[in-house]
Amino acid sequence: MTVRVLVADDQDLVRTGLSMILDAQPDIEVVGKAADGHAAVELAHRLRPDVCLIDIQMPGLDGIEVTQRLAGRGVPDPIAVVVITTFDLDEYVHGALRAGARGFLLKDAGPELLVQAVHAAAVGDALIAPNITRRLLATLAAREPSSRRTQPIEPLTDREEEVLTLVARGRTNAEIADELFIGLTTAKTHVASLLTKIGARNRVEIAMWAYDTGRVGH
């Protein structure tokens, strides 16, 4: 299956470079390019790509606002968003993930990580640059207990607790299936159940909840 991607960045050189890297992949096609936030939202709604690669700092609407409009809570039929930026700032990371992004990368992450992030977002997984993941989750783990959301809508089963821990550690569905000796479909079912029970929109929010509740430490 070919993953259809929209690339949004206000710098021509960066936009072209990202597009060339992605178009060079046999199973990725760049279907649209946008130079500002408003154009990104309009193109995304019109083209319905599988994944939107969105820069944080853009004129008009910034990347976080674009993410909110395309993938935020309550958005019908949301589109997968991977946020990419030059700046490794906690406020950007938190803002993007809270807005519904499925991935967060720095522009110097390299072609391999970029391609991995697009593929992960397309199938419902999440990929965040490893150095960002460690700091983000350590920050969440250090929060005061009073700020934690501890109760799921329904109690988690023992197996769901195991899957929760693996999701929080960045494992994909395939890796979870291998580690727990279960089928891929079963792993996906457990992840879907977690999303429902804890009211999360994506795997990143599952990981955040696991750290919020102290189930996983850093």
Side-chain angles (χ1 to χ4, degrees):
M1 182 192 81
T2 298
V3 180
R4 302 169 67 252
V5 180
L6 169 68
V7 175
D9 193 293
D10 63 329
Q11 294 181 294
D12 289 343
L13 194 59
V14 174
R15 194 169 61 249
T16 301
L18 292 171
S19 299
M20 288 176 64
I21 291 169
L22 295 174
D23 268 333
Q25 303 302 310
D27 52 1
I28 296 178
E29 178 190 3
V30 175
V31 296
K33 302 173 191 175
D36 63 70
H38 287 291
V41 172
E42 189 275 327
L43 273 176
H45 285 150
R46 179 155 54 88
L47 299 174
R48 298 299 305 180
D50 300 305
V51 177
C52 293
L53 190 63
I54 305 292
D55 181 31
I56 283 278
Q57 293 193 317
M58 290 189 296
L61 299 175
D62 66 21
I64 292 175
E65 178 64 27
V66 172
T67 302
Q68 185 72 49
R69 295 192 184 194
L70 298 180
R73 192 175 295 279
V75 172
D77 200 14
I79 300 173
V81 173
V82 173
V83 170
I84 186 165
T85 181
T86 308
F87 305 100
D88 180 11
L89 298 177
D90 285 343
E91 62 189 276
Y92 287 166
V93 181
H94 284 89
L97 299 182
R98 294 292 183 196
R102 284 193 191 166
F104 191 101
L105 291 175
L106 298 178
K107 288 181 182 176
D108 62 1
E112 185 178 350
L113 205 56
L114 172 65
V115 171
Q116 287 179 20
V118 167
H119 280 304
V123 297
D125 285 340
L127 189 149
I128 308 169
N131 61 319
I132 294 174
T133 303
R134 285 192 295 272
R135 195 180 67 245
L136 170 68
L137 296 181
T139 299
L140 291 171
R143 283 182 178 172
E144 290 299 316
S146 60
S147 72
R148 291 175 175 161
R149 300 163 289 135
T150 56
Q151 296 302 319
I153 296 169
E154 296 177 40
L156 304 185
T157 65
D158 290 344
R159 179 61 91 188
E160 286 168 350
E161 291 280 5
E162 291 178 319
V163 173
L164 174 74
T165 299
L166 293 176
V167 170
R169 289 175 177 157
R171 303 294 196 275
T172 64
N173 287 339
E175 290 168 339
I176 290 170
D178 287 343
E179 290 195 37
L180 298 181
F181 302 103
I182 58 178
L184 180 58
T185 300
T186 302
K188 290 179 179 178
T189 299
H190 286 311
V191 172
S193 181
L194 284 173
L195 290 168
T196 300
K197 285 188 175 182
I198 67 179
R201 290 170 294 176
N202 52 52
R203 299 170 76 91
V204 173
E205 289 196 355
I206 290 178
M208 294 171 104
W209 188 85
Y211 279 82
D212 281 347
T213 59
R215 282 168 162 81
V216 180
H218 58 284

